[in-house]
Amino acid sequence: MAIKDYIRERFFPHIWCPGCGHGTVMNSLLRAIESLGMSKNEIVMVSGIGCSSRISGYVDFHTLHTIHGRALAFATGVKLSRPELNLIVPMGDGDALAIGGNHFIHAARRNIDITAIVMNNRIYGMTGGQFSPLSGYGTMATTAPYSNIDHAFDTVELAIAAGATFVARSTSYHVKQLSKILRDAILHEGFSVVEVLSQCPTYFGRKNRLGSAVDMMEQYKNDTTPIGSKAKKENPDLIERGIFVQKEMPEYCVEYDKIIEKAMKGN
Amino acid sequence: MGKLKLKEHVITREWCKGCGICVHFCPKQVLELDDQDKVFAARREDCICCELCELRCPDLAIEIETEQGSE
């Protein structure tokens, strides 16, 4: 199928701002799904609230647009009742790690087979540019007019520490890598976290004088490096991208089935 | 079997928001924005069908249609 067969064309053009990275994340995700030859009926996309979460309206899978931060909780319910379906949960940085921080770490700890995508634009775009837990120290936001004193989470380290069995990072500039990582994440049996650095030229870019969407993507090109590269040793400020963790662990639904079997035997 | 040849830049004008990502990152400077800030292929003969515009477009507004070359 062509990627346009996976979208709801009647809702296009989408509401995302000109140059928003979220559109590119959707583009890469659709290509990953197309390359896997998946049918629309075997995918469930569950999203929460925020700019990123609007994605569930645009893709023609089974979609649930749920409540802020709780997309993973809804997805857990869907997955447990229909384990044969593929769950994809795109979230924003605030949705995933502030409002939904607790759901995030516990979904990772359980290793339930869900693909979580953190579309990290470092700000709450939809509500007007408030700082998020990924904005970082020294950044500017509507709610931090004299600069932000909160330090940022490292999504990758947090996901690894919480027990996710597939953890990766890419950016909206590195589309070929992003598409491949998303493909691997979907295929992985267990909880996968993919952090995607995605530009918000409207709020984060403007508040922090980072220029246009194009300028912000140039920064992703220049400020990131493949995991373990020589460049990283020379410049520790570079952000690594690639697959950090990919390991086999018992998956939650499989384990739950075993419990059902045990209970049915009555011992 | 020849190599892939460009057939057409399929542009959905109503979806293009003129962000300029495709224009800036095209390795052959094939694309430009017109006076209404919509993308068009200004130098289509230079296109190498790398499809980076199509892969990066946040609006799914540009597609590279290819055909098999004659040799």
Side-chain angles (χ1 to χ4, degrees):
Chain A
M1 289 211 289
I3 69 157
K4 279 197 176 161
D5 295 330
Y6 287 104
I7 61 173
R8 296 172 180 151
E9 286 198 37
R10 63 189 183 280
F11 296 134
F12 280 70
H14 55 56
I15 58 136
W16 291 318
C17 301
C20 174
H22 291 358
T24 307
V25 179
M26 177 175 68
N27 188 329
S28 295
L29 177 65
L30 292 171
R31 282 172 210 283
I33 289 166
E34 185 204 20
S35 76
L36 289 168
M38 292 168 90
S39 119
K40 297 195 269 191
N41 285 332
E42 53 182 329
I43 302 169
V44 184
M45 181 179 279
V46 187
S47 69
I49 295 295
C51 294
S52 61
S53 301
R54 295 299 293 254
I55 187 174
S56 64
Y58 301 126
V59 295
D60 200 22
F61 312 134
H62 299 292
T63 58
L64 285 168
H65 194 167
T66 69
I67 54 178
H68 208 0
R70 275 67 181 163
L72 282 170
F74 283 82
T76 299
V78 174
K79 184 69 186 178
L80 274 172
S81 61
R82 295 289 299 272
E84 73 278 14
L85 297 175
N86 293 284
L87 269 290
I88 300 175
V89 181
M91 298 172 283
D93 42 306
D95 193 41
L97 297 175
I99 300 92
N102 214 16
H103 292 296
F104 182 82
I105 55 175
H106 291 286
R109 180 175 61 86
R110 292 187 186 116
N111 195 35
I112 186 161
D113 186 12
I114 290 174
T115 304
I117 305 169
V118 181
M119 297 154 81
N120 176 12
N121 59 11
R122 306 179 67 187
I123 203 127
Y124 291 95
M126 184 172 277
T127 47
Q130 295 80 5
F131 65 85
S132 88
L134 294 183
S135 295
Y137 184 87
T139 55
M140 306 296 276
T142 312
T143 44
Y146 303 103
S147 92
N148 182 17
I149 56 169
D150 283 18
H151 295 276
F153 276 134
D154 181 322
T155 313
V156 165
E157 284 182 14
L158 181 71
I160 295 172
T165 50
F166 182 102
V167 181
R169 182 192 285 129
S170 190
T171 83
S172 59
Y173 171 79
H174 301 92
V175 278
K176 288 194 174 175
Q177 179 193 41
L178 174 57
S179 210
K180 193 181 170 306
I181 283 178
L182 288 169
R183 187 189 149 104
D184 291 349
I186 292 167
L187 289 175
H188 178 75
E189 281 181 34
F191 193 70
S192 330
V193 176
V194 180
E195 179 189 24
V196 191
L197 307 184
S198 169
Q199 72 277 4
C200 172
T202 304
Y203 282 109
F204 193 81
R206 205 165 54 190
K207 289 278 174 195
N208 291 283
R209 300 181 190 280
L210 297 176
S212 66
V214 164
D215 297 327
M216 294 177 83
M217 287 172 78
E218 283 282 353
Q219 288 150 27
Y220 290 153
K221 180 169 85 175
N222 299 327
D223 299 347
T224 64
T225 184
I227 297 170
S229 71
K230 203 174 142 212
K232 174 73 180 175
K233 290 189 190 96
E234 286 161 10
N235 180 6
D237 290 339
L238 291 176
I239 301 167
E240 287 180 297
R241 56 186 166 76
I243 300 172
F244 293 79
V245 170
Q246 189 169 14
K247 61 182 180 190
E248 298 289 316
M249 290 271 281
E251 195 274 327
Y252 196 67
C253 299
V254 175
E255 292 301 302
Y256 194 70
D257 278 348
K258 288 185 196 162
I259 291 295
I260 293 174
E261 208 175 305
K262 220 185 230 179
M264 297 296 267
K265 280 185 197 151
N267 54 17
Chain B
M1 291 282 274
K3 61 178 192 182
L4 284 181
K5 207 172 88 188
L6 177 74
K7 197 167 155 205
E8 200 189 351
H9 291 86
V10 184
I11 292 162
T12 312
R13 276 180 65 84
E14 309 76 55
W15 293 8
C16 174
K17 293 176 185 154
C19 67
I21 289 173
C22 57
V23 175
H24 180 83
F25 290 110
C26 173
K28 294 289 175 191
Q29 287 85 47
V30 171
L31 306 168
E32 277 180 28
L33 296 181
D34 64 17
D35 54 2
Q36 289 183 308
D37 271 354
K38 304 281 183 188
V39 66
F40 75 103
R43 285 166 289 278
R44 72 181 300 282
E45 62 286 356
D46 292 343
C47 177
I48 52 169
C49 308
C50 67
E51 298 182 347
L52 283 172
C53 53
E54 179 176 335
L55 299 179
R56 289 212 179 94
C57 177
D59 294 282
L60 311 181
I62 184 164
E63 265 176 85
I64 301 296
E65 219 169 76
T66 55
E67 58 191 358
Q68 210 60 242
S70 50
E71 51 182 305

